[in-house]
Amino acid sequence: MNFKGRDVISIEDFSREEIDYILKNSESMESIALKGSKILEGKILATMFFEPSTRTRLSFEAAMLKLGGSTIGFADADITSVRKGENLSDTIRTIENYADIIALRHPLEGSAKLAAEFSRVPILNAGSGADEHPTQAFMDLYTIKKEKGKIDGLKIALVGDLRYGRTVHSLAYALSLYNIELYLISPESLRMRKEVFRSIKDRISIIQDENLEKVIPQIDVLYITRIQKERFPDPTEYYKMKGVYKIDLNTLKTGKNDLIILHPLPRIDEISSEVDYTPQAKYFQQVWNGIVVRMALLSLVLAT
Ligand code: NCD
């Protein structure tokens, strides 16, 4: 399988075979992540982040460093010429001269696709508005596989802001390639986006509900997300939704013993901190998995 030079824009561009190959490759990065390597020596990753980030940007950079490569970039577009009015395509056509690969996070949907049209070097979509976050989905799948030993056969719930959350869009597309039962749990006004729902509905069985308590006893994986405050056109709507779902020790009591809780982070108030110390909590392991998955993607796309 050849990924050399390929952009990673949408998870929909990947087949199940390709996703499985990336997950396998991520597994082989576990030991390399501990000891480091020179696989990408001489290569440069540029991280262009027009939106806040802790994990995605730093794990891309750490992944590149662990492979022996180097990184340049910005975490605040306000200190770049964007402030002077430069557009995204000109910024891309500049940075492609300095780097072998670009990880881009941008508030506009379609930004990664647009960047890939202009760029000579591969673009990795590190979050395009409320649309997609494909590298997070690879990490989420990898976490499920690592913790459960499989993806097929599981009952998986995506909970929270399914409308504006980009991680759940990419993850839902990816999960629809597996033989799973998908529970989409959200308030009515934050239901899974129509485009995503339409494209996955014929591939897997989907249960849509508002009530989280009802489904907890049945599921194997609970993936909960933050209500995406910054994407609400009307702040009063956000305040109505804030705190709508909350996982605490009582919630866990009603679930299966081997239920796992995932969250892309940052968490606001969706999971109470007492849950962090239970065997079900896997969201900090997920953070480590972000490194190995991004190492796999960088090494496959930059294959020498
Ligand atoms: C997510 C994002 O940026 O979409 N964060 C991340 O990359 N892990 C989730 C979020 O912000 O809620």
Side-chain angles (χ1 to χ4, degrees):
M1 226 168 268
N2 189 4
F3 292 92
K4 192 174 157 65
R6 199 161 151 184
D7 300 304
V8 179
I9 305 299
S10 165
I11 201 92
E12 279 208 290
D13 301 335
F14 291 81
S15 67
R16 168 156 178 177
E17 290 67 36
E18 287 174 331
I19 294 176
D20 285 338
Y21 185 82
I22 290 165
L23 300 188
K24 220 163 174 56
N25 209 277
S26 306
E27 216 177 298
S28 65
M29 289 294 165
E30 292 269 359
S31 61
I32 300 176
L34 295 176
K35 56 181 199 297
S37 84
K38 292 191 165 23
I39 300 173
L40 293 183
E41 198 171 24
K43 300 282 185 194
I44 298 176
L45 161 73
T47 52
M48 297 173 55
F49 277 60
F50 292 79
E51 275 192 336
S53 169
T54 301
R55 281 150 287 266
T56 307
R57 186 175 59 84
L58 294 178
S59 68
F60 260 121
E61 294 186 358
M64 192 61 178
L65 296 173
K66 280 172 182 290
L67 290 167
S70 316
T71 71
I72 56 172
F74 57 83
D76 178 0
D78 251 8
I79 58 160
T80 71
S81 289
V82 171
R83 181 80 189 268
K84 303 178 190 167
E86 187 164 56
N87 65 28
L88 181 60
S89 55
D90 287 1
T91 308
I92 289 285
R93 283 183 289 192
T94 302
I95 294 182
E96 67 179 0
N97 293 283
Y98 310 145
D100 301 285
I101 189 163
I102 295 172
L104 171 72
R105 170 171 288 188
H106 196 281
L108 288 180
E109 294 186 11
S111 50
K113 191 163 181 286
L114 176 93
E117 273 159 27
F118 283 97
S119 178
R120 270 186 283 118
V121 302
I123 299 289
L124 305 175
N125 180 3
S128 45
D131 186 23
E132 274 219 56
H133 194 347
T135 67
Q136 175 76 40
F138 286 120
M139 166 205 320
D140 298 335
L141 293 174
Y142 182 73
T143 307
I144 296 173
K145 180 107 192 279
K146 189 164 153 185
E147 297 297 335
K148 292 290 193 187
K150 60 176 185 181
I151 299 172
D152 286 317
L154 296 176
K155 295 182 187 212
I156 301 174
L158 308 184
V159 181
D161 187 346
L162 308 185
R163 179 173 187 184
Y164 297 117
R166 55 192 169 202
T167 70
V168 283
H169 299 155
S170 295
L171 184 55
Y173 282 133
L175 287 172
S176 72
L177 303 176
Y178 292 82
N179 184 17
I180 61 135
E181 255 176 59
L182 188 63
Y183 292 73
L184 299 176
I185 310 299
S186 72
E188 174 92 46
S189 62
L190 298 180
R191 278 200 175 178
M192 180 57 82
R193 275 191 179 215
K194 283 207 176 63
E195 308 95 276
V196 181
F197 190 84
R198 249 185 252 125
S199 113
I200 65 173
K201 74 175 189 331
D202 296 329
R203 291 204 285 260
I204 44 169
S205 100
I206 301 176
I207 296 104
Q208 238 176 346
D209 209 311
E210 287 191 44
N211 186 332
L212 176 61
E213 281 74 47
K214 202 168 84 191
V215 307
I216 294 255
Q218 301 161 43
I219 57 178
D220 304 297
V221 178
L222 192 164
Y223 185 100
I224 186 161
T225 63
R226 168 178 79 87
I227 308 293
Q228 307 279 302
K229 182 178 183 185
E230 69 278 25
R231 311 233 186 260
F232 279 68
D234 175 358
T236 57
E237 285 302 311
Y238 166 73
Y239 287 104
K240 274 193 230 155
M241 293 300 141
K242 191 180 172 306
V244 58
Y245 297 114
K246 189 154 188 154
I247 309 291
D248 57 21
L249 291 180
N250 282 326
T251 327
L252 296 188
K253 278 189 200 138
T254 64
K256 293 184 183 173
N257 285 337
D258 61 352
L259 169 70
I260 59 168
I261 315 279
L262 306 184
H263 192 306
L265 303 178
R267 127 179 85 178
I268 309 304
D269 53 8
E270 310 80 47
I271 306 178
S272 80
S273 57
E274 60 199 20
V275 174
D276 300 357
Y277 306 100
T278 67
Q280 285 93 334
K282 299 294 179 196
Y283 29 93
F284 290 112
Q285 277 89 326
Q286 217 174 333
V287 175
W288 165 259
N289 296 338
I291 288 273
V292 294
V293 164
R294 292 190 170 110
M295 286 173 73
L297 288 168
L298 287 168
S299 70
L300 288 168
V301 173
L302 288 174
T304 40

